[in-house]
Amino acid sequence: MEPTQQQKAVERKETYKQRFEDWRLQHARIRTDEEIRLRERVVADESLSVRELIRKDQPCRVTSPREYQLELFERAKQQNTIAVLDTGSGKTLIAVLLLRHILDQELEDRLAGQKHRIAFFLVDSVTLVFQQYEFLKVNLDQRIECFCGEMGTDHWAKETWQKHLGQNMIIVCTAEILHQCLMRSFIRMNQINLLIFDEAHHAKKNHPYARIIKDFYITEDNQTKRPRIFGMTASPVDVRSDFGQSAKELEVMLHCQIATATDPALLRTAVSRPEEIVAVYERLQFPYSTRLCQEMEARYGQMQTLSKIFKSAKNVTSELGEWCADQLWSFAMAEKEALKVEKKIEKAFANEPNSRPVEMLDAELNDLREAQAFVKEWVFEEPLIDIPVLSSKVLALRQYLNLIYERPTDARCIVFVKQRYTARLLGNLFARIGSPHLKLGILIGTCHGDPGDVKVSFKQQMMTLHRFKKGDLNCLFATSVAEEGLDIPDCNLVIRFDLYSTLIQYIQSRGRARHKASKYIHMTEKGNSMHVQAVRDVRQGETVMRQFCESLPADRLLQGNDADLDAALIKERNFRIFVDPVSGAKLTYASSLMVLGHFVSCLGDGSSPPNFIVTAEHGQYACEVVLPESSPVHAAKGRPSARKAIAKRSAAFEACVLLRQGGHLDENLVSTHHKHLPAMRNAHLALSMNKSSSYDMKVKPSIWQGSRGSIPHSLYMTIIELEYPENLGRPSQPIALLTRTRMPSFPCVLLHLQVNRTSHMIFTSLQDQFYIPGGHLSKLNAFTLRIYKDVFNKTFEVNEAAMSYWFAPVIDGFKSIVASRKPEQLIDWATINYVDATDAWKWDIECPHNELENRYLVDRWDGSRRFWSIKVVPDLRPQDPVPDDAAPHRHMSTIIDYTVSLFSKSRQKAIWRQDQPVIYAHRILHRLNWLDEYTEEEDRVKKNAYVCPEPLTFSALPAGVAAMAYLVPSAVSRIESYLIALETCDLLGLQIRPDLALEAITKDSDNTQEHRQEELHLQRGMGKNYERLEFIGDCFLKMATSISIFCLSPDNDEYEYHVRRMLLICNKNLFNTAINKKLYEYIRSVGFSREARNWYPQGIKLLEGKGFKKSGEEEHKHQLGDKTVADVCEALIGAALLSYNGDMDMAVKAVTALVSSPDHDVTQWEDYYKLYTKPLYQLAPTTAVQSNLASQIEQKMGYRFKYPRLLMSAFVHPSLPSFGGIPCYQRLEFLGDSLLDMACVNFIFHRHPDRDPQWLTEHKMAMVSNKFLAALSVKLGFHKHLRFAGQVVEFQNRDYAMEIKEAEQESKGAHDYWTTTKNPPKCLSDMVEAYLGAIFVDSEFDYSEIERFFNNHIRWFFEDMSIYDTFSNNHPVTHLHNLLTLSLGCSNYRLMASPIPNAAGTDVDHQVAVVMIHGEVVASGTAASSKNAKVKASEKALGNLRGLAPFEFRTTFGCQCTEGDVQGATMEDMGTAI
């Protein structure tokens, strides 16, 4: 027999489960590096861009080293060497040659069985990591990798480092990374074969270069195990000091000999030296105040925060001229810069130990705003080419630049300045007064801070250099960042606008002028002896350096040795050192601050950094470090020291020792606290989608059992009738259900009576009970049992005390009198008396034909044959052939044979009258489940019958009563389901509408929770299942728990909120609560079933009929998935919410009952506000700034804040964790996020009552997406009020705001204009959610304010949800489903997820998901939650499938799915990832 479609689906699902389990077990022990690689990929977007930009300018492979390079290489092979060569002379190539030599030796050593060793190329900045890595990768053929702190290396475990160290032969990294690895004993010095120090002159004091040598190199006692050292620098000295002494100190520190080219002529041949020119400009004027500065001084000179700007502006008048001085004010008083100053003022005020009155703060802020407005209104004129508008120094610079860029040219120039603002001012100026062929750029460092300054990222630096190399820019105004390290193309002209401070600055900046016939210009002031001396000093210093290096004998002894370095380290002898006895990890004073800082960051609760309290004691400083409350060690005190810095390190050292002793640092000095508790991760709190268990199942409500056992003297009546009885197709008479206990009001039930003809069954529960006179109960009992016998062919024992309920016919026209009559007067007692007195209506040959019409006929030998008599057919006789239109029967020879169902032997003995009439009748279909749809197949079954009256039984039940009796099983089944649903509510102490209560506990297929998928073992006729209620209940659960947690701990950080909420709302917690309360018994997983006979009356014994042989009460079980049990909990919350239009009290009570936690212990909405204790920041006095903000928002939004500080908190970015004592918006955002979710879900749920949860979830994504909320934030103007630190936030917000405004203007009123822009900064959407949290708290938890906001500002965008179909389809899971089914025509696929145990197999660490097509895994993804794992797997699968034509797909995967298969295909287990 061909299996059905559903059987195929079940079989396919089991196959997929087994194959996935096999795949998972095979990969369970393989821990992917995906997270590490992800961290490396997100290195900070800037650093990634740096790498890409450097690759774009990929260096060439160098194949012909010069003679001096080979000479220094030969020396470096023999001993530790510091190569001193000019910038651009190819020092890195010498390092490459040395690396090749060392690596060749290493390969030989490994072949001889020696332990592996590795080479490190150390640099001083992140940018140089990528630059040197690319150069080495091109010139070396061994495995090489690069690392920097932005890759998250601080958090890498020892195993990760061992893997990288084992896979590579060379590591390029910042020195701090190697220092940490050595300190933590991830690697030991004897495992390194070569240390290369780029820009080696930094090796002094506590620089990581110096610490590596001090802490680890010299402590390696076996000198043969120490690595070779090679340093590179343009000058071994970078300060003004005795050159010989400084050079010796560097040699001592690095255990090296300084060396340079023995023949300077070779070096000069290889590296072009520029012509050096001393340019003299006229004497500068003394600093003074411009007219703008004078006006500002007169008005705001008392403002301490502007003092630095006043000073800088005066200096600029002298150095650059009046125009630039005034421009500095325009930079400093720009809106975003003034906001920075404002924040600085408020922060300083909040941190003052002796707080001043708030009025003083308001006055200072008001002065700042006035100053900003004054500068904004000032008229800035275009610069005149004259003194004093421009200084003589600037005019001289202009002359040189105009000479170079008079005509189009390929010449490149760098102008070096000291101050960042000087570069910016000159760039701004020369954009106006420079030659049209001058293409300007600014190259400054990444640090910033002064008012008017700008933040520059690594990416921006590299972009500037990239454009400079391409020729898009030909002149850079640069600070010292352009002197050292960066790969800058050879320049024709280098101008020292501001002179160098040290010899190395001179050498390195001059090294940028390497082009043939290039010039290097020293700009000096006329008559300025300091300038003259500076030029003379660097020239003499270089001469001394050359002579020193060239005079060194080649065979001299190494200057650096342990004894000399010990003398240099004499100051550190008193510093304690801790060496871990297990690993050898070394803790020093220098490393203790880093170790302690890393430990605090791993607490994972948003803890503030360690607080160092320094006090003076007896002429020395003592320091105590105080750690966050969540730290297991709260404080530690260090030893007194003469220096504050050493006292701080001592305190940090003692704290680290205590942490190690307590086991809070492991043997590698790594924190054992990993982001709070891993048990709180989604993967640990989730339940398996596949796991299921067998549970007891209630089949009958407890109310029946509780009322049985005695003879009742009074009963309650529930009338059962059809709303449209005519749709039944024949007359019917209402029936009453009589019970010992009054029934609640039941919702009506839809019955499918014929094809496309339905009617609601209406239940009317009467309030009053009625007395049962003696003997009447036995008649009701007889009537009830007669229905079971005649209609359903079931004979039950007569036991009135054991009956659960009785049936009774109701008189016609009862509706008109029901209000005025007693219940017993509505019963058709005449029919009851007749049925009680009559076994069956007797037919005889004399009976008039009309009395045979409209009778209920029973085949006495075949319980399945019942008929409605229509009329007598006078032309037919019992011996006539059966007409062709008759329903089939096993005997079809004659009408009398057709009528009789006896077996052949009995038939031969039976004798029937041949003169009896023939009745035309309708055979009654054996249909009991009227809750299921009436199919066309059923309608096509022949119903006509031709029967003789003599062999049949004429039931005493009137035909109308019998017609209604056929609906009794469906009615009783649904009533009992309603009663069980209400018992569920009683179990939880809830009052929920019966229809919603039943919907919440109804599971109508094996995979109800898997939305849009092919339903397995669907139980038809059960009504709505729980999935929509679960959708809205889940949302309310999130909101309710968020409010409660926020109220209980208003000062906690957002992370702690999320953790505590997750513990409440996770499926595991709901499941445990449900198991404890035995909620599984009440879940409806089995629909109406004739075979299961769950509609039989309970309590009385079946004597005849199917199932009569069974004795005792049956034990009923059902199989439920763990997640199903949890989902039902959420559905019950949804039902409680919808039962009371707008009143949330019952839903609140449901949450408390089902989360079972002190973190949510309220029973009505108003209890939330009673829990809330206003934090101090909310109650503190309001400043004018805060009041002004509240006033502006009131004008826009129509809401007046009682506590303006709440509003201010909603607009404080996390980059300012505390802004004037006001916390950042993260707490309010946590609250507002759940409130907004609820408002959106409520709207979409009621607006689209027929949509499934998958559709609702997908389209809700648009409503709560960062993209939409950011657009809304800009539309409402919130972005203008954001308080933040850092230029990146400002730049991103401004850039996005411009784009979204343009999109809105061009959209011509389109509601979805916001979908066309790029992804916005998340802070903009966070502000909207935080604002909602603020108004909710400020309004004393008035949810109507949230709804008002939604209706006023959000609803308009989503009136037509169809325009967002494409938006929702962008989700990888949905996209994959649509691609497979719609584009590729495949239905045989599945997306599955399961936990992966950790290496020890003791706990769940990650979830893995796979996409399987035709039983084969085509993509997988790993993440902390199954949802994210499915997203990753889907993204990979999309990448593999995109571009495949259908025929290619079918060939590749052996797909033979038909169109019918695809039409039935659904999102197999995919909805859970949305």
Side-chain angles (χ1 to χ4, degrees), residues 887-958:
H889 185 49
R890 60 179 177 268
H891 303 292
M892 297 288 290
S893 57
T894 63
I895 293 175
I896 190 66
D897 283 342
Y898 180 83
T899 306
V900 178
S901 295
L902 288 169
F903 289 106
S904 55
K905 289 184 179 180
S906 300
R907 294 171 68 82
Q908 293 172 4
K909 298 176 183 179
I911 300 174
W912 310 105
R913 296 180 64 111
Q914 298 302 313
D915 57 348
Q916 61 181 306
V918 172
I919 303 172
Y920 169 61
H922 283 167
R923 182 176 176 180
I924 302 172
L925 292 181
H926 203 52
R927 175 181 172 85
L928 300 182
N929 187 8
W930 302 88
L931 301 168
D932 191 11
E933 290 186 7
Y934 199 103
T935 65
E936 293 184 359
E937 287 78 8
E938 289 178 292
D939 194 50
R940 286 195 291 269
V941 173
K942 289 184 178 181
K943 302 178 183 65
N944 294 335
Y946 299 88
V947 295
C948 299
E950 186 181 9
L952 300 177
T953 297
F954 285 71
S955 173
L957 295 172

Side-chain angles (χ1 to χ4, degrees), residues 293-410:
C293 196
Q294 290 171 3
E295 294 281 356
M296 292 290 290
E297 280 183 315
R299 289 174 167 80
Y300 315 109
Q302 80 284 357
M303 293 185 65
Q304 188 63 33
T305 50
L306 300 183
S307 61
K308 193 169 185 178
I309 307 175
F310 280 118
K311 183 178 179 180
S312 298
K314 287 181 181 179
N315 290 335
V316 170
T317 57
S318 174
E319 288 286 327
L320 307 179
E322 291 183 358
W323 189 86
C324 290
D326 288 348
Q327 285 296 309
L328 185 63
W329 279 107
S330 71
F331 291 167
M333 289 290 103
E335 184 175 350
K336 59 182 180 181
E337 298 301 326
L339 186 60
K340 282 198 285 186
V341 178
E342 188 174 312
K343 295 171 184 174
K344 188 176 179 181
I345 292 172
E346 290 186 335
K347 186 175 182 180
F349 179 83
N351 294 333
E352 286 178 359
N354 300 317
S355 57
R356 294 175 292 158
V358 174
E359 290 75 18
M360 294 182 68
L361 172 63
D362 289 341
E364 191 172 357
L365 294 176
N366 186 60
D367 287 345
L368 178 63
R369 292 196 193 92
E370 289 182 5
Q372 180 189 1
F374 183 81
V375 172
K376 187 176 182 180
E377 294 171 4
W378 189 265
V379 178
F380 295 93
E381 298 178 352
E382 287 299 306
L384 299 175
I385 314 300
D386 199 3
I387 297 173
V389 177
L390 303 178
S391 70
S392 58
K393 188 176 181 181
V394 170
L395 292 175
L397 175 63
R398 180 174 179 269
Q399 287 180 349
Y400 281 106
L401 293 180
N402 282 350
L403 286 173
I404 298 295
Y405 298 106
E406 182 180 3
R407 297 178 182 278
T409 177
D410 293 332

Side-chain angles (χ1 to χ4, degrees), residues 420 442 444-448 454-461 1287:
R420 295 163 61 88
I442 296 173
I444 57 180
T446 56
C447 299
H448 77 296
V454 290
K455 179 176 176 61
V456 177
S457 67
F458 287 128
K459 175 186 174 182
Q460 289 169 313
Q461 282 185 347
Q1287 291 298 313

Side-chain angles (χ1 to χ4, degrees), residues 972-1009:
V972 170
S973 175
R974 185 52 56 89
I975 285 174
E976 290 181 335
S977 292
Y978 280 138
L979 290 172
I980 291 173
L982 292 175
E983 286 180 16
T984 310
C985 299
D986 293 339
L987 177 73
L988 301 172
L990 306 175
Q991 291 81 48
I992 299 177
R993 272 174 31 197
D995 57 328
L996 292 172
L998 179 56
E999 183 180 340
I1001 63 171
T1002 296
K1003 173 185 182 293
D1004 60 359
S1005 69
D1006 286 356
N1007 53 342
T1008 299
Q1009 73 280 3

Side-chain angles (χ1 to χ4, degrees), residues 502-573:
T502 64
L503 172 61
I504 198 166
Q505 283 187 329
Y506 160 63
I507 294 174
Q508 288 180 328
S509 61
R510 188 188 63 190
R512 298 306 181 190
R514 296 195 297 268
H515 203 278
K516 291 183 179 180
S518 59
K519 292 180 174 58
Y520 183 82
I521 298 177
H522 311 253
M523 291 190 66
T524 63
E525 184 183 20
K526 185 177 181 179
N528 189 326
S529 59
M530 294 177 64
H531 285 189
V532 175
Q533 186 63 40
V535 175
R536 184 182 300 121
D537 287 347
V538 295
R539 287 178 170 175
Q540 290 178 349
E542 183 181 24
T543 301
V544 170
M545 180 189 75
R546 296 297 170 201
Q547 292 174 348
F548 174 84
C549 294
E550 291 167 9
S551 65
L552 294 174
D555 58 349
R556 70 194 180 102
L557 293 175
L558 182 64
Q559 289 290 334
N561 56 58
D562 292 354
D564 292 333
L565 191 54
D566 282 345
L569 294 176
I570 192 168
K571 294 180 180 178
E572 299 185 14
R573 282 184 177 173

Side-chain angles (χ1 to χ4, degrees), residues 445-644:
T446 56
C447 299
H448 77 296
D450 292 339
D453 201 356
V454 290
K455 179 176 176 61
V456 177
S457 67
F458 287 128
K459 175 186 174 182
Q460 289 169 313
Q461 282 185 347
M462 290 299 103
M463 278 300 300
T464 299
L465 288 176
H466 181 66
R467 295 179 65 202
F468 192 54
K469 291 175 184 177
K470 285 175 59 182
D472 295 342
L473 303 176
N474 58 19
C475 181
L476 297 180
F477 291 103
T479 58
S480 60
V481 70
E483 294 172 352
E484 179 178 289
L486 294 178
D487 183 19
I488 295 177
D490 299 349
C491 294
N492 305 77
L493 178 65
V494 171
I495 301 175
R496 287 298 319 199
F497 184 80
D498 293 324
L499 292 178
Y500 24 74
S501 300
T502 64
L503 172 61
I504 198 166
Q505 283 187 329
Y506 160 63
I507 294 174
Q508 288 180 328
S509 61
R510 188 188 63 190
R512 298 306 181 190
R514 296 195 297 268
H515 203 278
K516 291 183 179 180
S518 59
K519 292 180 174 58
Y520 183 82
I521 298 177
H522 311 253
M523 291 190 66
T524 63
E525 184 183 20
K526 185 177 181 179
N528 189 326
S529 59
M530 294 177 64
H531 285 189
V532 175
Q533 186 63 40
V535 175
R536 184 182 300 121
D537 287 347
V538 295
R539 287 178 170 175
Q540 290 178 349
E542 183 181 24
T543 301
V544 170
M545 180 189 75
R546 296 297 170 201
Q547 292 174 348
F548 174 84
C549 294
E550 291 167 9
S551 65
L552 294 174
D555 58 349
R556 70 194 180 102
L557 293 175
L558 182 64
Q559 289 290 334
N561 56 58
D562 292 354
D564 292 333
L565 191 54
D566 282 345
L569 294 176
I570 192 168
K571 294 180 180 178
E572 299 185 14
R573 282 184 177 173
N574 294 327
F575 297 169
R576 294 181 65 202
I577 294 176
F578 171 82
V579 179
D580 190 272
V582 178
S583 67
K586 180 189 290 187
L587 180 71
T588 65
Y589 272 28
S591 61
S592 58
L593 290 172
M594 181 275 297
V595 173
L596 187 61
H598 179 262
F599 171 80
V600 171
S601 72
C602 287
L603 293 176
D605 55 359
S607 299
S608 57
N611 183 26
F612 292 91
I613 303 169
V614 181
T615 57
E617 294 181 4
H618 309 297
Q620 289 189 308
Y621 294 103
C623 179
E624 181 179 19
V625 60
V626 179
L627 302 182
E629 291 184 8
S630 54
S631 171
V633 172
H634 298 302
K637 193 169 184 178
R639 296 180 178 182
S641 174
R643 294 175 55 201
K644 286 184 180 179

